[in-house]
């Protein structure tokens, strides 16, 4: 009995559908580069990362920033920091040494807007920063945070740690 051949397009169609499903599925693992990590909405929610960012004690709403969202943020960051030089301590300007910082990003929704909360810190933390959010008191300009509204590409709420 001869083998029945299935059309090739069935297999190609299945492969394309599988790629689409994978691409559209919400991220469950952190997306990361060499010196940065995007915490998926579920992980940020589980760790309660946005609860202290939510206004008026409201429950935080989360979303997962894309790599393109983070790249847009990083492309505009140097100019934003140059416009806020009084927030940093003396020495080599932070915007000239951004490649020395590790970064963590989480997505929160505030007033219906997708906001990326960015946490920048020097390499000297004693935690697995790719899995656990880094929160440090003091430390000076080795630690700073800010928010970025994705649709308007607006930076705001720059916070630089103090020195004890």
């Amino acid at each position: 009995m001869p083998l029945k051949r299935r059309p090739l397009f069935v297999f190609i169609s299945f492969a394309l559908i599988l790629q689409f499903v994978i691409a559209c599925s919400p991220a469950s693992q952190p997306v990361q580069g060499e010196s940065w990590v995007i915490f998926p909405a579920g992980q940020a929610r589980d760790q309660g990362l946005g609860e202290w960012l939510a206004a008026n004690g409201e429950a935080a709403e989360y979303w997962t920033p894309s790599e393109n969202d983070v790249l847009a943020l990083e492309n505009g960051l140097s100019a934003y920091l140059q416009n806020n030089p009084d927030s940093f301590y003396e020495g080599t300007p932070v915007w000239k040494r951004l490649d020395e910082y590790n970064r963590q990003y989480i997505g929160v929704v505030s007033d219906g807007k997708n906001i990326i909360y960015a946490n920048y810190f020097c390499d000297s933390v004693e935690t697995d920063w790719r899995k656990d959010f880094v929160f440090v008191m003091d430390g000076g300009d080795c630690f700073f945070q800010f928010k970025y509204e994705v649709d308007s590409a607006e930076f705001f709420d720059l916070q630089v740690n103090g020195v004890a």
Side-chain angles (χ1 to χ4, degrees):
M1 182 170 187
L3 289 176
K4 194 173 189 180
R5 300 181 108 192
R6 292 182 185 230
L8 181 59
F9 76 91
V10 171
F11 293 109
I12 293 172
S13 297
F14 177 74
L16 290 173
I17 291 170
L18 183 60
Q19 285 178 336
F20 176 77
V21 168
I22 290 170
C24 293
S25 298
S28 59
Q29 296 295 318
V31 176
Q32 58 191 25
E34 186 176 326
S35 61
W36 57 269
V37 61
I38 300 170
F39 288 108
Q43 182 179 357
R45 183 180 305 104
D46 291 347
Q47 292 186 19
L49 298 179
E51 298 305 316
W52 42 275
L53 295 172
N56 302 325
E58 299 172 4
E61 200 177 320
Y62 299 90
W63 66 286
T64 302
S66 71
E67 187 171 344
N68 286 337
D69 294 328
V70 167
L71 291 174
L73 174 155
E74 289 192 353
N75 284 334
L77 181 59
S78 179
Y80 171 66
L81 295 176
Q82 288 177 52
N83 289 326
N84 291 281
D86 295 339
S87 298
F88 292 96
Y89 299 97
E90 293 183 26
T92 304
V94 170
W95 57 88
K96 289 186 178 182
R97 51 189 170 96
L98 284 172
D99 59 344
E100 297 175 14
Y101 287 83
N102 291 320
R103 308 136 158 89
Q104 296 175 316
Y105 300 105
I106 63 170
V108 293
V109 178
S110 179
D111 294 326
K113 297 176 182 176
N114 286 346
I115 306 295
I116 297 176
Y117 180 79
N119 187 31
Y120 279 55
F121 51 93
C122 294
D123 207 11
S124 61
V125 295
E126 296 181 14
T127 185
D128 186 352
W129 62 269
R130 293 183 185 276
K131 294 180 183 173
D132 299 315
F133 197 75
V134 173
F135 182 80
V136 175
M137 302 292 281
D138 298 323
D141 65 5
C142 190
F143 302 90
F144 67 97
Q145 307 79 38
F146 58 90
K147 296 174 186 169
Y148 174 81
E149 201 271 300
V150 175
D151 290 335
S152 68
E154 177 188 358
F155 293 86
F156 59 103
D157 285 352
L158 175 63
Q159 300 291 319
V160 181
N161 285 24
V163 177

